[in-house]
């Protein structure tokens, strides 16, 4: 599957509301990493659902599953299909100066049917703050309310903000569907 970008997936009100709800949850952990490889510095993660586990936050799981259906409908209009079963859903946070939180990885190298959806959840973002997302070296700029859909076997990494973001966290949501 070729990488697909969907812009304006959320209304401004929905994006601001979800950002506020996500950052105020007490369920954030500081040990998030996508792979089990040693030597990676972990970062803040809010797990909604892990692979093969029950949802840890059922309301956000339901929101994420309905979002997968919304994305699938938009992709069908482009004659692109994706699986719709939400297998994993994590929110990640990065702040200015945290360059060690991002590393090149694949979400799942073994299952060729899994797709990854990365959502840009921060409602205010300036291009000079950087914070892009890269898939096999191709840059996707951080754009509030957008989604990047790609094969989970593709190697990718995020980019930490390069300048002061005035208290806005770079929040992304990583969803695996299969």
């Amino acid at each position: 599957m070729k990488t697909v970008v969907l812009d304006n997936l959320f209304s401004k009100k929905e994006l601001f509301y979800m950002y506020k709800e996500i950052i105020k949850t007490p369920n954030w952990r500081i040990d998030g990493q996508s792979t089990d490889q040693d030597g990676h510095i972990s970062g803040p993660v809010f797990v909604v659902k892990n692979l093969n586990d029950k949802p840890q936050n059922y309301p956000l799981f339901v929101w994420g599953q309905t979002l997968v259906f919304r994305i699938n409908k938009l992709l069908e209009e482009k004659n692109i299909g994706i699986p719709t079963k939400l297998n994993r859903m994590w929110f990640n946070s990065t702040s200015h100066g945290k360059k060690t939180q991002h590393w090149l990885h694949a979400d799942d190298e073994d299952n060729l049917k899994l797709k990854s959806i990365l959502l840009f959840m921060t409602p205010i973002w300036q291009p000079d703050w950087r914070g892009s997302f890269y898939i096999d070296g191709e840059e996707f700029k951080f754009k509030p309310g957008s989604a990047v859909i790609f094969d989970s076997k593709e190697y990718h990494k995020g980019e930490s903000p390069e300048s002061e973001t005035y208290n806005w966290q770079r929040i992304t949501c990583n969803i695996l569907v299969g």
Side-chain angles (χ1 to χ4, degrees):
M1 174 181 154
K2 183 179 176 189
T3 300
V4 178
V5 176
L6 296 176
D7 291 324
N8 304 313
L9 190 58
F10 309 101
S11 70
K12 284 191 183 263
K13 283 186 177 183
E14 182 181 9
L15 193 55
F16 271 98
Y17 175 79
M18 291 307 299
Y19 179 83
K20 186 174 75 173
E21 292 300 309
I22 293 161
I23 62 170
K24 76 178 185 183
T25 182
N27 297 36
W28 284 91
R29 302 183 339 219
I30 59 168
D31 62 346
Q33 64 183 44
S34 294
T35 64
D36 293 328
Q37 298 174 3
D38 293 329
H40 292 280
I41 305 297
S42 54
V45 64
F46 169 24
V47 176
V48 175
K49 183 182 184 312
N50 270 322
L51 284 171
N52 304 317
D53 288 342
K54 293 181 181 179
Q56 296 178 26
N57 183 301
Y58 197 74
L60 278 176
F61 170 76
V62 171
W63 174 79
Q65 182 63 72
T66 61
L67 189 58
V68 168
F69 290 129
R70 184 189 316 176
I71 290 168
N72 185 57
K73 182 166 176 46
L74 292 169
L75 291 176
E76 282 177 349
E77 293 170 5
K78 298 177 183 233
N79 294 320
I80 301 169
I82 62 167
T84 56
K85 180 184 176 204
L86 193 155
N87 291 332
R88 185 184 87 188
M89 181 176 175
W90 293 0
F91 290 97
N92 296 292
S93 173
T94 309
S95 56
H96 167 64
K98 303 296 181 196
K99 295 184 186 299
T100 59
Q101 287 180 318
H102 298 286
W103 55 90
L104 190 62
H105 68 279
D107 289 335
D108 191 318
E109 296 178 20
D110 300 324
N111 189 338
L112 301 179
K113 294 180 182 179
L114 287 180
K115 305 297 179 203
S116 292
I117 302 170
L118 185 83
L119 306 169
F120 297 126
M121 299 301 301
T122 307
I124 301 291
W125 201 259
Q126 300 296 322
D128 62 330
W129 295 350
R130 299 287 302 146
S132 292
F133 181 66
Y134 295 87
I135 302 172
D136 283 339
E138 184 178 357
E139 180 181 20
F140 297 91
K141 295 193 182 291
F142 193 102
K143 189 172 180 187
S146 294
V148 181
I149 301 99
F150 57 100
D151 286 325
S152 297
K153 66 178 174 47
E154 298 293 331
Y155 280 87
H156 58 278
K157 70 180 264 180
E159 175 184 61
S160 295
E162 299 252 338
S163 64
E164 184 59 50
T165 57
Y166 306 100
N167 295 325
W168 290 99
Q169 295 288 307
R170 179 191 179 275
I171 302 291
T172 57
C173 180
N174 178 260
I175 297 174
L176 265 62
V177 294

